[in-house]
Amino acid sequence: MTTAIPSTFSKKEWDRYVRLGRKLVKKMSGLQFDLGDLMIEMLHERPHGHGEVTEIIESFAHAIGLAPGTLRKYYEVARQWPKAKRRADVSFSVHAELAYTRSRYAKIRKDPLDPFTHERHWTVNEAIRAADRMPHTPTNKEERLAKTRSLLRSDEDAADAVREMLGRPDVRSRVASDHRTRNLMRQAQYEHWDQVEEAVDADEELALEVEEEPEDLSPVVSYDEGPLEILRLLGNFAAFFVSLQKTIPEIHAQDYSEETKEAVLENITKARSFLDWCESAITTGKTDMDKALARLLEDEEGE
């Protein structure tokens, strides 16, 4: 990953400003260490208990026009970096990020590779990485994913992000082509419908509890008086509906061969023919099998 020079600058102009900026940072770093060293001198051989350090830092910061927290940071970083161990060409900010890492004196002597400029020099980003913390600007896939996970700690935020990302065609394609992801999505569908079913059952139970005088809801067909063939037919429909309701959500067509899909579609056609036959028998009284359905069954028996 690299950073491009802003379009309003030529490379020559940009490089000149970078050199000037680095010189100013070097001066500023020297001043920050100077203030930290001054605090070390002021606190040397003075009582360090009962809030004396905080009182001195706050009073001195107020007197010189600095925020107490800023002055304390200068003091604490300066304490971690004796003058002989500091690098004048490395910023105070880098020293601050490395201040509490092990082997910091050895680490700072070796310039890391800056993945943005491909130069060997210390940056705050690389110092944070050297301290085994998440850098401000991720430079590889693992860091980008880790950064994303840290930002999307809330399930609600994560769900919204996934929903938005699925709006991108290439993302959808990559997700759909991953077998593990498809399995997770199917599992999510099962869990969702289980929750829906539980909610419906709970609503029905609540309705029964609050209903004082249930209405007389006699079935359309009396199971005591209905013809046996009708009762069988209704039972077959009920079993068929329940079976499909459980099975259809488990379908994952992207994993099936064309032959498998064709076999299912042929059975759907056959099912429609049987339903048409049943409808004709009920509405017209004719129970003769349709010729097309008869041929379909004959072809199946022939196989």
Side-chain angles (χ1 to χ4, degrees), residues 42-56:
M42 292 173 65
L43 293 169
H44 182 61
E45 295 183 353
R46 295 183 186 277
H48 286 189
H50 307 291
E52 285 90 351
V53 171
T54 298
E55 180 185 2
I56 293 171

Side-chain angles (χ1 to χ4, degrees), residues 205-218:
E205 290 178 5
L206 181 62
L208 290 174
E209 290 176 2
V210 301
E211 187 176 357
E212 296 179 359
E213 296 182 2
E215 297 179 7
D216 183 16
L217 300 175
S218 301

Side-chain angles (χ1 to χ4, degrees), residues 201-255:
D201 290 344
D203 289 343
E204 291 177 350
E205 290 178 5
L206 181 62
L208 290 174
E209 290 176 2
V210 301
E211 187 176 357
E212 296 179 359
E213 296 182 2
E215 297 179 7
D216 183 16
L217 300 175
S218 301
V220 176
V221 176
S222 170
Y223 287 90
D224 295 328
E225 302 174 0
L228 181 60
E229 64 274 13
I230 294 298
L231 296 179
R232 279 202 200 118
L233 192 60
L234 293 175
N236 289 335
F237 279 138
F240 181 67
F241 297 152
V242 170
S243 178
L244 287 185
Q245 186 178 9
K246 291 182 177 180
T247 304
I248 290 176
E250 299 177 2
I251 292 175
H252 42 101
Q254 63 271 24
D255 293 336

Side-chain angles (χ1 to χ4, degrees), residues 14-15 20 22 24 30 43 69 101 107 118 130 133 144 160 170 172 187 202 204 217 250 269 275 279 283 296 299:
W14 183 256
D15 290 344
L20 290 173
R22 286 177 178 173
L24 291 173
L43 293 169
T101 61
K107 279 184 180 179
H118 298 292
R133 298 195 305 276
R144 288 192 292 273
D160 288 342
D170 188 53
R172 286 200 305 272
Q187 183 62 36
E204 291 177 350
L217 300 175
E250 299 177 2
T269 300
L275 291 173
E279 182 180 8
T283 56
L296 185 64
D299 291 342

